[in-house]
Amino acid sequence: MLGRLLSQKKSLWGLAILIFFALLTILGPFFTVDPRAFLGTPLQPPSQEFWLGTTGQGQDVWAQMVVGGRHSLFSALAIGAGTTLIGALLGLAAAYWGGLVDEVISLVSNIFLVIPGLPLAIVVAAYLPSGTLTIALVLIATGWAWNARVFRAQALSLRQRDFVAAAIVGGESSLRLMLFEILPNMASLLLSTFLGAMIYALGAQVGLEFLGLGDISAITWGTNLYWASNDAALMTESWWTFVPTGVCIALLGFALALLNFAIDEIADPRLQVQKAWRRRVGHADPGLTPVVRTA
């Protein structure tokens, strides 16, 4: 799968952008000034001294963007991994054991699905102590339900396969069947869901922090936008205080989406057929038979 992933332009572009941000956020903070230090005049435009200008308090926007990126990227990684893991385990348990376990998990996941995730996260976060850990727990608690339904459907399909029946006849335990027979066959779905969960986590986290529901003393992409809004950046036309952070968020989401699309095309043969057909005859519907005109 890795070889096929690396052979696609989408995934290569996505990986390149992702690696760029990983290097920027891991190594960048070692080569920037203190993002909390008051170094220049407030709302100073980009210059040779301050590449991306200064904030309303005279702090370096470039340093805040780089340091904030580390926090936001790793938070999105942790939240994406948490929601994917919980969704996969619950979906697998519901599909394998069925009965009362399936009914309880389905009922709870349906309740979470009925309530929109982000509004629920806003309400819950408003009543809990602010902080990065709080936001991560809130987003994991409100984001696992859809993943559980998807994994349940996939696990139900795999449970009917011959290799699972053979493993049952061979006397394998339920835990071993789930973790070593069924779960590895959902690798592409796991990776695709993880990337989708990261996109959700990145957007939701930035949204909550922009609303002031996170720790506003932390340096993150969300709090960068929060302080830019507080400094009336739009009214003062101080675009440099929010545009670089906004572009970074959009680029990171774009890279994750590209990787997600590439994995979907590899895992779903129908998408490969459609892509091959479009490449051959343009944008015609693959479900239609081409008309052959005769003289």
Side-chain angles (χ1 to χ4, degrees):
M1 180 176 176
L2 182 62
R4 296 172 67 185
L5 199 61
L6 294 177
S7 66
Q8 291 201 11
K9 287 183 181 177
K10 286 179 187 173
S11 52
L12 286 178
W13 275 107
L15 279 173
I17 298 173
L18 207 55
I19 290 171
F20 168 75
F21 276 108
L23 293 176
L24 180 71
T25 54
I26 291 172
L27 302 178
F30 295 109
F31 301 98
T32 59
V33 297
D34 182 359
R36 291 185 174 84
F38 305 107
L39 301 173
T41 56
L43 298 180
Q44 181 178 334
S47 62
Q48 193 171 0
E49 185 179 5
F50 299 105
W51 294 351
L52 295 179
T54 61
T55 67
Q57 289 76 41
Q59 298 155 321
D60 188 4
V61 173
W62 165 254
Q64 290 201 341
M65 190 192 74
V66 172
V67 174
R70 172 188 283 188
H71 182 282
S72 297
L73 180 59
F74 285 97
S75 293
L77 271 171
I79 297 167
T83 53
T84 304
L85 182 64
I86 292 174
L89 292 179
L90 290 178
L92 200 56
Y96 186 80
W97 279 306
L100 183 61
V101 175
D102 187 17
E103 288 182 10
V104 171
I105 293 175
S106 297
L107 176 63
V108 176
S109 63
N110 286 338
I111 291 172
F112 275 91
L113 285 174
V114 168
I115 305 172
L118 190 55
L120 177 62
I122 291 172
V123 172
V124 174
Y127 288 97
L128 293 176
S130 62
T132 305
L133 182 60
T134 299
I135 286 187
L137 292 176
V138 167
L139 293 180
I140 290 173
T142 56
W144 63 271
W146 175 254
N147 296 339
R149 286 183 66 91
V150 173
F151 283 113
R152 175 182 174 274
Q154 182 72 7
L156 278 174
S157 172
L158 290 172
R159 195 171 180 273
Q160 309 301 323
R161 303 286 177 85
D162 292 340
F163 70 91
V164 175
I168 294 174
V169 172
E172 290 194 17
S173 65
S174 298
L175 187 62
R176 185 174 176 79
L177 267 173
M178 286 192 286
L179 297 182
F180 296 101
E181 299 292 345
I182 298 178
L183 198 59
N185 284 283
M186 297 196 296
S188 59
L189 182 61
L190 277 168
L191 188 53
S192 175
T193 304
F194 169 65
L195 293 172
M198 273 192 70
I199 296 173
Y200 162 75
L202 182 68
Q205 181 194 18
V206 169
L208 290 175
E209 289 169 342
F210 176 70
L211 293 173
L213 296 174
D215 181 6
I216 57 173
S217 64
I219 304 293
T220 70
W221 282 349
T223 54
N224 290 351
L225 296 179
Y226 170 81
W227 287 114
S229 173
N230 272 16
D231 293 335
L234 279 176
M235 293 181 66
T236 58
E237 298 183 351
S238 308
W239 57 268
W240 54 88
T241 60
F242 61 91
V243 167
T245 298
V247 170
C248 287
I249 295 169
L251 276 177
L252 187 56
F254 178 64
L256 293 171
L258 281 179
L259 283 172
N260 210 348
F261 293 152
I263 292 169
D264 283 345
E265 285 186 4
I266 292 172
D268 191 346
R270 290 172 299 178
L271 294 178
Q272 295 180 28
V273 171
Q274 289 177 359
K275 185 179 178 181
W277 183 270
R278 289 194 190 98
R279 192 180 302 158
R280 185 174 177 183
V281 298
H283 297 284
D285 187 343
L288 299 176
T289 303
V291 177
V292 179
R293 296 183 177 181
T294 56

